[in-house]
Amino acid sequence: MYWLDVLFRSKYLNKNEYDSIMSDCEELKKLFMSITKTTKESLKKENNKPNS
Protein backbone atom coordinates (compact mmCIF):
# COMPACT_ATOMS: atom_id res chain seq x y z
CA MET A 1 0.00 0.00 0.00
CA TYR A 2 3.09 2.09 -0.07
CA TRP A 3 2.48 3.04 -3.69
CA LEU A 4 -1.04 4.21 -2.95
CA ASP A 5 0.39 6.53 -0.33
CA VAL A 6 2.92 7.82 -2.84
CA LEU A 7 0.22 8.44 -5.44
CA PHE A 8 -1.94 10.24 -2.91
CA ARG A 9 0.86 12.39 -1.55
CA SER A 10 1.92 13.34 -5.07
CA LYS A 11 -1.69 14.44 -5.75
CA TYR A 12 -2.14 11.81 -8.44
CA LEU A 13 -5.12 10.45 -6.46
CA ASN A 14 -7.63 12.57 -4.65
CA LYS A 15 -8.88 11.71 -1.15
CA ASN A 16 -12.00 9.86 -2.35
CA GLU A 17 -10.04 7.75 -4.83
CA TYR A 18 -7.39 6.99 -2.25
CA ASP A 19 -9.93 5.98 0.42
CA SER A 20 -11.84 3.79 -2.00
CA ILE A 21 -8.78 1.97 -3.30
CA MET A 22 -7.32 1.63 0.19
CA SER A 23 -10.54 0.06 1.41
CA ASP A 24 -10.45 -2.41 -1.46
CA CYS A 25 -6.85 -3.24 -0.67
CA GLU A 26 -7.66 -3.88 2.98
CA GLU A 27 -10.43 -6.28 1.97
CA LEU A 28 -8.13 -8.10 -0.44
CA LYS A 29 -5.46 -8.31 2.23
CA LYS A 30 -7.94 -9.92 4.64
CA LEU A 31 -9.08 -12.33 1.95
CA PHE A 32 -5.53 -13.40 1.08
CA MET A 33 -4.64 -13.82 4.75
CA SER A 34 -7.67 -16.03 5.25
CA ILE A 35 -6.83 -18.12 2.18
CA THR A 36 -3.26 -18.53 3.39
CA LYS A 37 -4.34 -19.56 6.87
CA THR A 38 -6.91 -22.04 5.59
CA THR A 39 -4.46 -23.53 3.11
CA LYS A 40 -1.78 -23.96 5.78
CA GLU A 41 -4.25 -25.64 8.12
CA SER A 42 -5.44 -27.96 5.36
CA LEU A 43 -1.88 -28.90 4.48
CA LYS A 44 -1.07 -29.63 8.13
CA LYS A 45 -4.11 -31.89 8.41
CA GLU A 46 -3.20 -33.65 5.19
CA ASN A 47 0.39 -34.16 6.33
CA ASN A 48 -0.70 -35.54 9.69
CA LYS A 49 -2.99 -38.20 8.20
CA PRO A 50 -1.65 -41.73 8.38
CA ASN A 51 -0.72 -43.17 5.02
CA SER A 52 -3.33 -45.52 3.58
Side-chain angles (χ1 to χ4, degrees), residues 45 49 52:
K45 286 180 184 177
K49 282 184 180 178
S52 305

Side-chain angles (χ1 to χ4, degrees), residues 14-51:
N14 66 38
K15 178 77 169 136
N16 289 336
E17 292 169 325
Y18 173 80
D19 289 342
S20 176
I21 296 170
M22 187 60 84
S23 175
D24 292 342
C25 286
E26 289 293 335
E27 288 301 314
L28 285 170
K29 181 179 166 184
K30 290 175 187 176
L31 177 68
F32 292 141
M33 289 172 65
S34 177
I35 290 169
T36 301
K37 181 180 177 184
T38 302
T39 302
K40 284 181 178 181
E41 289 171 355
S42 294
L43 286 172
K44 278 184 180 178
K45 286 180 184 177
E46 187 66 32
N47 287 333
N48 287 333
K49 282 184 180 178
N51 292 351

